[in-house]
Amino acid sequence: MRVDVLNFTGKIPDNRLSDATVIVVDVLRATSSIVWAIRNGAERIIPVTDPGTAVAMQLRLGNAERVLAGERGGVRIPGFDIGNSPMDFTEDAVKNKLVIMSTTNGTEAICAVKSAKNVLIGSMLNRMAVAKRAVEIGRDILIICAGTEGQLSADDMCAAGGIVDAVSQFADEFSANDAALIAALLYAGWKRGEADLSVTMHYSRLIRLGFARDAEFCFREDQTDVVPQLVDGIIS
Ligand code: 3SL
Ligand code: MG
């Protein structure tokens, strides 16, 4: 089995996707929020790339039991019900509801891998569970780090490394690309308290925006066994 980590910069070649189990990681904060929403009973989540499409979909489907969620620049999109804080996706807000979600990087990365054989949603919150599911599927694993506007984001690399570490606990043997090895090294350093992610680009931006608690929450490991999966454009 191969485990590769790839930074999302726009398009991913189809030949990287067709036979792989893809795990999308946007630990700060979209995939953490998605994991938390499903854990809190959201029925389905439709990821969309832009807010206009989310609003149009909401209008087409009607208002009942629908939640519009998302951010631009880290803050809730005007007119949307909730933002992109995992704390927004409470049972009260999402249980038994369809969530239509648009975020800057995370939902774009998810939409870009629709053609993969299997698409799982990964985060620190479900690190072990997502790795176990991916290993059980038995295909090569491609961990896509959503990154921040085309740039590699240390937060995603660290979470990807956490998932690589978890894969190593379930897979008999595997080979990894350099990005996966670097991610695993970053994760190991972070576990030892030697890597301070709060000074990195996106993490520090969230702190400046007042979302320090979100960032700390998103880096809690193994809080749930929920493994959201994208099938035909819908996460459940
Ligand atoms: O880029 C994204 O998809 C978001 O997760 C970014 S933010 O953490 O909500 O600013
Ligand atoms: Mg991010």
Side-chain angles (χ1 to χ4, degrees):
M1 174 177 286
R2 256 200 94 69
V3 182
D4 285 354
V5 169
L6 199 68
N7 187 52
F8 178 65
T9 53
K11 181 132 177 56
I12 300 159
D14 272 344
N15 64 355
R16 300 281 341 242
L17 298 175
S18 44
D19 285 330
T21 295
V22 169
I23 302 175
V24 184
V25 174
D26 182 8
V27 69
L28 296 177
R29 296 168 291 172
T31 59
S32 300
S33 291
I34 290 169
V35 166
W36 212 239
I38 297 292
R39 184 259 191 199
N40 283 340
E43 189 186 274
R44 286 169 295 159
I45 299 175
I46 304 182
V48 298
T49 52
D50 65 288
T53 305
V55 172
M57 195 175 282
Q58 158 89 337
L59 292 173
R60 205 170 54 245
L61 295 171
N63 263 323
E65 306 305 319
R66 321 262 183 242
V67 179
L68 265 186
E71 59 67 43
R72 281 302 177 275
V75 297
R76 180 166 61 88
I77 298 165
F80 277 36
D81 302 305
I82 56 177
N84 185 34
S85 164
M87 310 302 163
D88 289 350
F89 293 81
T90 58
E91 268 193 39
D92 260 8
V94 301
K95 193 161 186 195
N96 298 326
K97 294 186 181 165
L98 166 66
V99 180
I100 303 164
M101 184 169 181
S102 176
T103 70
T104 312
N105 307 283
T107 58
E108 198 187 336
I110 294 168
C111 291
V113 300
K114 273 180 185 164
S115 64
K117 201 87 185 162
N118 303 90
V119 180
L120 308 178
I121 305 299
S123 68
M124 285 297 211
L125 300 169
N126 69 343
R127 182 186 75 101
M128 286 291 241
V130 76
K132 185 166 185 277
R133 176 75 56 83
V135 171
E136 282 167 359
I137 291 170
R139 297 178 179 278
D140 288 342
I141 298 170
L142 181 61
I143 303 173
I144 301 287
C145 293
T148 302
E149 283 138 40
Q151 292 202 65
L152 188 143
S153 223
D155 50 296
D156 288 337
M157 283 298 276
C158 183
I163 294 170
V164 173
D165 171 82
V167 165
S168 74
Q169 299 180 43
F170 296 115
D172 295 335
E173 52 174 337
F174 70 95
S175 57
N177 70 353
D178 281 4
L181 297 174
I182 291 167
L185 286 171
L186 176 60
Y187 171 75
W190 174 78
K191 286 289 276 184
R192 290 192 302 268
E194 293 164 4
D196 178 8
L197 294 176
S198 71
V199 300
T200 61
M201 175 179 52
H202 189 53
Y203 198 124
S204 62
R205 185 156 150 261
L206 285 177
I207 293 173
R208 285 195 300 279
L209 287 168
F211 293 124
R213 195 165 151 246
D214 279 12
E216 182 273 323
F217 178 80
C218 291
F219 273 91
R220 291 187 196 172
E221 295 179 79
D222 306 318
Q223 302 294 306
T224 177
D225 288 339
V226 155
V227 182
Q229 183 156 2
L230 179 81
V231 178
D232 295 333
I234 296 174
I235 298 168
S236 59

